[in-house]
Amino acid sequence: MILKSQVEWALHCCAILAGLPEGRYLSTKALAELHGLPKEYLSKALQSLSQASLVDTTLGPSGGYRLARPSSEISFLEIVEAVEGKARSFTCTNIRENNPCRPAGYCDSKPCAVARVMWEADEAWRNTLRRVRLSDLVGTLSEDVPPDIWRDTFEWVLKRAG
Amino acid sequence: MILKSQVEWALHCCAILAGLPEGRYLSTKALAELHGLPKEYLSKALQSLSQASLVDTTLGPSGGYRLARPSSEISFLEIVEAVEGKARSFTCTNIRENNPCRPAGYCDSKPCAVARVMWEADEAWRNTLRRVRLSDLVGTLSEDVPPDIWRDTFEWVLKRAG
DNA sequence: GGTTTGCGGATATTATATATCCTTAATTCC
DNA sequence: GGAATTAAGGATATATAATATCCGCAAACC
Ligand code: FES
Ligand code: FES
């Protein structure tokens, strides 16, 4: 079980978008260059964010992406699910049905106990991500990253923002 | 991100092994037939359990698998990690290093804030699985499964246990 | 009108999961 | 002792998913 690298990309891109001034857009090209990522493939991740209505887009030379909502109203989980999908990590293939001791046509009243535990763990994972807001991430980053690098980065970004 | 189906197989097999009388073994063949699984491939999952020291094995016509410890001392997490691996679901590829505004040779003091949140969620997932014992699963199953099917199944198993 | 941009489809490449086959050594039963 | 059965591990094949690139389209800007 391994998450796509697009999850890392999307989260970092959203953190950058969260620092954009009101109404400005940042292009795939700039985001790819800033993070050293393949532009075409990063574009797929950003399209996922767009389809999930987490970002707004606009076309043309000064176009690109911006957050659709304030960063305090976007959760980690929304970003992760946008690129990774909402499907649970554990899928039950109902192997209990193959038990030769089961009467033919017997129908289970509940999902299997094994699956229920695995899904509970999945929920715990999602709940952790649900509780973290994008604005929390930006706050932590601004503490971790040295002030001069932080400032230079947003200067770099603003120079390219449409 | 999707767990291997071997996780479902291993958990169900362990639940069966937990019901074996002291000192008896159950073969791959029987476990595969009981769950309707490909014998050769299920064998790989059972080998993983063996390598993790969760089960004991013995060779020969009456050989097979049994739990290495009481089911109350085996957690869901141990079984899941045996087949799925202990690696975290999120891997940081350090894309922050590609930021062109970073001075050459700059070294981060902490893991990235994005990764820390993802790893925290991963820990929440693992903690949920750590708290559930194999004996808990057997207890739940014995409540869910109708008594006659439950009894027939273990009769079926005992007929094949070495 | 030429350029830039996001978008979606098609395609190629790589890695992983799934599955089978075969050999070896240990154990049981006759 | 010999035949049958079993787990273990290596080699290999197939299917599916992740990664990556390319192209054409329509909207927006100059
Ligand atoms: S039958 Fe799928 S988890 Fe039990
Ligand atoms: S650089 Fe990997 S998660 Fe931030």
Side-chain angles (χ1 to χ4, degrees):
Chain A
M1 179 190 59
I2 188 78
L3 291 165
K4 321 196 224 203
S5 54
Q6 293 207 352
V7 171
E8 184 184 7
W9 305 358
L11 287 165
H12 272 276
C13 286
C14 285
I16 294 294
L17 294 182
L20 275 184
E22 185 77 21
R24 314 274 302 267
Y25 293 86
L26 194 60
S27 70
T28 307
K29 183 163 173 255
L31 287 167
E33 197 180 338
L34 179 61
H35 296 111
L37 301 173
K39 179 166 98 68
E40 315 284 349
Y41 193 32
L42 172 63
S43 165
K44 300 296 183 187
L46 298 172
Q47 282 174 44
S48 299
L49 295 179
S50 173
Q51 284 171 343
S53 299
L54 294 176
V55 296
D56 289 334
T57 71
T58 188
L59 293 175
S62 66
Y65 298 87
R66 71 177 178 201
L67 293 184
R69 284 177 266 150
S71 63
S72 59
E73 293 171 23
I74 295 180
S75 71
F76 247 65
L77 182 63
E78 289 179 279
I79 300 168
V80 171
E81 284 189 338
V83 303
E84 190 63 38
K86 300 194 178 189
R88 287 188 276 222
S89 58
F90 178 88
T91 53
C92 168
T93 61
N94 248 318
I95 59 177
R96 61 178 174 174
E97 279 186 359
N98 300 322
N99 183 337
C101 304
R102 281 166 63 113
Y106 173 76
C107 196
D108 296 289
S109 54
K110 297 190 206 177
C112 177
V114 170
R116 297 210 303 275
V117 171
M118 294 304 296
W119 292 339
E120 188 191 327
D122 195 275
E123 263 310 297
W125 180 77
R126 292 187 142 79
N127 281 334
T128 302
L129 297 180
R130 212 186 320 264
R131 281 193 292 264
V132 181
R133 294 170 298 178
L134 179 55
S135 53
D136 299 329
L137 172 66
V138 175
T140 309
L141 280 174
S142 69
E143 288 169 15
D144 286 2
V145 177
D148 49 337
I149 300 184
W150 186 259
R151 184 176 23 79
D152 288 357
T153 301
F154 279 101
E155 263 176 36
W156 188 98
V157 163
L158 280 182
K159 217 179 297 176
R160 287 155 181 86
Chain B
M1 178 190 59
I2 188 80
L3 291 165
K4 319 196 224 203
S5 55
Q6 292 207 351
V7 170
E8 184 184 9
W9 304 359
L11 288 165
H12 271 276
C13 286
C14 284
I16 294 295
L17 294 183
L20 276 184
E22 184 78 21
R24 314 272 305 264
Y25 293 87
L26 195 61
S27 70
T28 306
K29 184 163 172 254
L31 286 167
E33 197 180 339
L34 179 62
H35 297 111
L37 302 173
K39 179 166 97 69
E40 316 283 349
Y41 193 33
L42 172 62
S43 165
K44 301 296 185 188
L46 298 173
Q47 283 174 42
S48 299
L49 296 179
S50 172
Q51 283 171 344
S53 299
L54 293 176
V55 296
D56 289 333
T57 70
T58 187
L59 292 175
S62 66
Y65 298 86
R66 73 177 177 200
L67 293 184
R69 284 177 266 151
S71 63
S72 59
E73 293 171 23
I74 296 179
S75 71
F76 247 64
L77 181 63
E78 291 180 279
I79 300 169
V80 172
E81 285 189 337
V83 303
E84 190 62 37
K86 300 195 177 188
R88 287 188 275 222
S89 58
F90 179 87
T91 53
C92 168
T93 61
N94 248 317
I95 60 176
R96 61 178 175 175
E97 279 186 358
N98 301 323
N99 183 337
C101 304
R102 281 166 63 113
Y106 173 76
C107 196
D108 296 289
S109 55
K110 297 189 205 175
C112 177
V114 171
R116 297 209 303 274
V117 172
M118 294 304 295
W119 291 340
E120 188 191 328
D122 193 274
E123 263 310 298
W125 181 76
R126 292 186 142 80
N127 281 335
T128 302
L129 297 180
R130 212 186 321 263
R131 281 193 292 264
V132 181
R133 295 170 299 177
L134 180 54
S135 54
D136 298 330
L137 172 65
V138 176
T140 310
L141 280 173
S142 70
E143 287 168 18
D144 287 2
V145 177
D148 50 337
I149 300 184
W150 185 260
R151 183 176 25 79
D152 288 356
T153 301
F154 278 102
E155 263 176 35
W156 188 97
V157 163
L158 280 182
K159 217 180 295 176
R160 287 155 181 86

